[in-house]
Amino acid sequence: MTLDILTPDKKVFSGEVISVTVPGKGGSFQIWENHAAIISTLENGLVEIRLPNKNQELFNIKGGVVEVLKNKVVLLADGVVED
């Protein structure tokens, strides 16, 4: 499935992923291939991405919204904390 992480300023990530874990308002949840369509608000916290090469990437977001539809995940973050 594909994932795009966008902030008001830039595209933070774009590519193929195995799964993504996001900090939902009711607790974190994972999104996998063929996930049901969903739109959810997000809290501040870590987004964990599992890549096809088995590596992972982490992004610390400042809230936002995630939409999942037909194996495409779009995460609109209010911001990303840069280390």
Side-chain angles (χ1 to χ4, degrees), residues 7 10 12 59-60 62 79-83:
T7 69
K10 63 183 176 180
V12 177
F59 295 94
N60 190 1
K62 298 178 183 176
V80 173
V81 177
E82 304 284 339
D83 291 333

Side-chain angles (χ1 to χ4, degrees), residues 49-80:
I49 301 167
R50 296 280 178 190
L51 300 169
N53 65 5
K54 306 298 186 220
N55 289 338
Q56 77 172 13
E57 287 195 35
L58 298 172
F59 295 94
N60 190 1
I61 66 165
K62 298 178 183 176
V65 177
V66 65
E67 177 188 47
V68 180
L69 184 62
K70 297 181 181 176
N71 287 323
K72 181 165 178 66
V73 181
V74 177
L75 192 157
L76 304 174
D78 295 333
V80 173

Side-chain angles (χ1 to χ4, degrees), residues 4-19:
D4 289 321
I5 299 177
L6 309 166
T7 69
D9 301 329
K10 63 183 176 180
K11 184 180 286 190
V12 177
F13 178 91
S14 183
E16 291 290 322
V17 300
I18 299 296
S19 69

